[in-house]
Amino acid sequence: EGQRLARPPPSRAAPALLLLRNNSIAALGAGDIAPELRLLDLSDNLVEEVDPETAAALFSEPERRVLFAGNPLACRCGGALTAALRAHRAQVDDFERLRCADGRRLAALGASELCAEGAHWPLRASLAAGAALLVLLGVALALHRGRRAALRGIKRFLLEHGLCARWLPSEAEEAEETEEGEEEEAWEFDAFVSFAHPDHRFVAERLAPALERGPRPRRLCLHHRDWAPGDWIPQQIARSVRASRRTLLVLSRHWAASSWARAEFREAHARAQRDSRPRLVLLLLDEPAALRPLLEPELRAFLDANTYLRWDDPCFGRKLRRALPRPRRRPREPHEPREPHEPREPGEPREPGEPREPHEPREPREPQPAPGARPELAFSPNLKL
């Protein structure tokens, strides 16, 4: 804790020199400075500010020399100590070394700079209050207009953090989330899959079947299947990105070593910036810590600033389907089995052994006769007795 400058005893004459460097002195008063004092070394202490009377007493004698570097000066508008140090800089032997508490050099600051921060505080306070009010109004409007949307957001947060067994959003809730400004017919593909050739087996045997099957299959653009033979590869990349609503990057060590894969990222990233829409979906096959040093700085920054998918995530399949656009559902044939997690259509009966959904109403039960009651007989009107 800071100390005060000790006054000399009345029985002794005031010293001409006071060398008090690095003594944790934080307070200084006008009575502590004797008129006979010719050199005062208060460098490397804790003095931030003094009152105007002390500041005037500090430089009351023209022959007095002062050392003040190393103190955390409070550089603010109207500060008595900084004003006195600036006005009597000829008496301050280490004036060029004086620094404010925030690290700025006092010699480099003008009077207007010292007062600039404090002069605009009413405007800054008004702007902060206005911004807070707008945020509160936005939250209130969002809650008023979409309680179900807020609930979906909570469920989505739980899903992204691994709580996927019980809190999965229903397909009906997902169907309500439409993408504004995007028409289904405007795109040839739902996603262009960017992957390296060594990862072909993962894409062909696991990723593509999981997305291209079911009642609402995604339309994927795969270069080994959908590119025209003989076309220029950069032109094929640009055309595939433009024709797809999303670009799915299957990131691995092999992808990081592929120049064509990096070209696909740059094309998709440039298009996302032009459209001001999220167009890129990242799927990591390797650990992020192992991938990050292998990636280009632009992709490394994108990976650090955006969420990504992990193929070993227990909720990987559901998260991936949520990250890609929703295609239109094709009608399922009566004899065609329903895919896992596919919701039933309205009015469609449950299959044998299929559990009831939590939100699904119970089926009405037929009334049972009371114990001992005779069963009622139904007679046909055409029956002749």
Side-chain angles (χ1 to χ4, degrees), residues 247-264:
T247 296
L248 176 61
L249 304 182
V250 183
L251 298 182
S252 66
R253 293 182 177 87
H254 308 300
W255 190 99
S258 172
S259 58
W260 292 121
R262 296 194 299 269
E264 291 165 353

Side-chain angles (χ1 to χ4, degrees), residues 215 330-339 342 344 348 351:
R330 64 170 178 83
R332 182 169 60 89
E333 300 296 334
H335 63 275
E336 184 181 0
R338 187 165 58 247
E339 295 289 330
E342 176 192 349
R344 292 188 305 277
E348 181 182 358
E351 297 179 0

Side-chain angles (χ1 to χ4, degrees), residues 49-84:
E49 182 61 283
V50 298
D51 55 68
E53 182 182 0
T54 304
L58 188 61
F59 297 101
S60 60
E61 300 296 330
E63 299 83 6
R64 182 177 300 150
R65 317 295 298 179
V66 176
L67 296 171
F68 230 90
N71 287 275
L73 303 178
C75 299
R76 57 174 177 262
C77 187
L81 179 58
T82 53

Side-chain angles (χ1 to χ4, degrees), residues 37-314:
L37 190 60
R38 291 296 175 262
L39 177 63
L40 176 60
D41 185 359
L42 286 174
S43 56
D44 298 323
N45 281 286
L46 304 175
V47 180
E48 299 180 8
E49 182 61 283
V50 298
D51 55 68
E53 182 182 0
T54 304
L58 188 61
F59 297 101
S60 60
E61 300 296 330
E63 299 83 6
R64 182 177 300 150
R65 317 295 298 179
V66 176
L67 296 171
F68 230 90
N71 287 275
L73 303 178
C75 299
R76 57 174 177 262
C77 187
L81 179 58
T82 53
L85 291 171
R86 290 170 55 84
H88 300 277
R89 66 177 61 193
Q91 295 179 243
V92 184
D93 292 346
D94 54 359
F95 182 79
E96 295 296 329
R97 295 170 49 209
L98 299 184
R99 290 189 176 273
C100 307
D102 57 7
R104 294 177 297 171
R105 292 180 59 249
L106 182 63
L109 299 178
S112 59
E113 293 176 281
L114 289 174
C115 295
E117 184 176 356
H120 299 291
W121 73 266
L123 177 60
R124 293 183 179 180
S126 301
L127 291 177
L133 180 60
L134 289 177
V135 170
L136 292 177
L137 290 177
V139 171
L141 181 62
L143 293 177
H144 176 71
R145 295 183 60 183
R147 292 181 58 190
R148 298 183 67 183
L151 180 60
R152 290 195 301 270
I154 295 174
K155 289 184 176 181
R156 188 180 303 109
F157 173 82
L158 295 174
L159 171 66
E160 292 174 354
H161 287 75
L163 303 178
C164 56
R166 182 178 177 183
W167 295 97
L168 285 175
S170 65
E171 295 289 341
E173 291 175 338
E174 290 182 356
E176 295 178 2
E177 299 180 1
T178 58
E179 298 186 48
E180 299 180 359
E182 286 194 347
E183 294 294 336
E184 181 86 14
E185 294 79 11
W187 310 96
E188 184 179 357
F189 301 102
D190 293 315
F192 166 53
V193 184
S194 170
F195 64 95
H197 180 71
D199 299 323
H200 170 270
R201 184 174 180 180
F202 170 81
V203 174
E205 297 182 3
R206 300 187 60 178
L207 183 64
L211 294 175
E212 293 185 326
R213 296 176 183 174
R216 302 183 68 184
R218 267 69 174 182
R219 297 166 298 179
L220 301 183
C221 177
L222 305 176
H223 55 72
H224 66 277
R225 183 187 65 188
D226 299 305
W227 282 9
D231 282 3
W232 194 39
I233 294 181
Q235 185 177 0
Q236 294 265 32
I237 293 175
R239 183 164 54 243
S240 299
V241 170
R242 287 195 305 267
S244 303
R245 300 170 71 179
R246 298 290 185 272
T247 296
L248 176 61
L249 304 182
V250 183
L251 298 182
S252 66
R253 293 182 177 87
H254 308 300
W255 190 99
S258 172
S259 58
W260 292 121
R262 296 194 299 269
E264 291 165 353
F265 162 73
R266 287 191 291 269
E267 178 68 27
H269 191 213
R271 178 173 176 260
Q273 290 180 325
R274 290 193 302 267
D275 297 347
S276 299
R277 295 184 65 88
R279 300 290 187 189
L280 282 167
V281 179
L282 304 183
L283 169 58
L284 274 60
L285 299 186
D286 295 322
E287 291 292 333
L291 279 177
R292 192 169 280 109
L294 305 177
L295 302 177
E296 293 182 342
E298 187 177 11
L299 179 54
R300 192 183 308 125
F302 186 86
L303 180 65
D304 293 337
N306 294 270
T307 57
Y308 50 82
L309 302 173
R310 294 281 301 274
W311 76 272
D312 54 353
D313 190 329

